[in-house]
Amino acid sequence: MAVDAEAVMEIGDYCYIADASLVCSARITLGAHVWVAGGVTIVDSDFHPITPAARLVDTIALSPIGDRQRRPPIEVLPVVIEDDVWIGYNATILKGVRVGAGAAIAPGALVNRDVPPGTYVAGNPARPVEPEAT
């Protein structure tokens, strides 16, 4: 886990977090009884500008001769994982996403939009699917 100095990482009761990467610039919230499998990534920012021109300005600002105060703005949006959520191996949850209570994220899914409560999502980008019977 990596949490910026002014950021808040909130983890509810009885959570299980395996070998996962949670990187927080502002706020990441995990409710109670959340299961996070190995290889999962949860981030609340892209940590760099999106447009090529802004990335170049950012690279110069971060260089040894640059001025970090001249970094372009970087979008940061909180991530909320509600209670009783299961996140499968190697899934990625991006900035601004809310995962509703009781939802499940399939292994390898890329979640870039909200997941309604009780929904199973899979794919890249993640979409609701019917879970396979085992």
Side-chain angles (χ1 to χ4, degrees):
M1 284 187 230
V3 182
D4 283 355
E6 301 298 316
V8 175
M9 175 81 68
E10 184 177 20
I11 299 174
D13 293 335
Y14 305 107
C15 288
Y16 173 83
I17 302 172
D19 182 25
S21 296
L22 284 72
V23 187
C24 180
S25 284
R27 183 176 202 93
I28 295 176
T29 302
L30 274 61
H33 302 274
V34 173
W35 292 79
V36 181
V40 167
T41 300
I42 302 173
V43 296
D44 66 355
S45 171
D46 294 318
F47 306 99
H48 58 78
I50 300 301
T51 66
R55 282 198 308 271
L56 180 58
V57 170
D58 193 48
T59 300
I60 293 167
L62 292 172
S63 75
I65 60 169
D67 178 0
R68 290 178 176 265
Q69 300 301 318
R70 293 183 177 252
R71 290 190 77 189
I74 297 169
E75 186 175 36
V76 177
L77 297 168
V79 173
V80 177
I81 312 295
E82 296 180 358
D83 296 344
D84 303 308
V85 169
W86 177 86
I87 304 171
Y89 287 100
N90 299 314
T92 299
I93 299 176
L94 299 178
K95 70 181 186 295
V97 168
R98 175 179 287 271
V99 179
I105 311 301
L110 175 67
V111 183
N112 62 356
R113 61 183 52 131
D114 291 352
V115 177
T119 303
Y120 181 79
V121 298
N124 179 1
R127 300 275 191 246
V129 297
E130 289 297 320
E132 295 180 20
T134 56

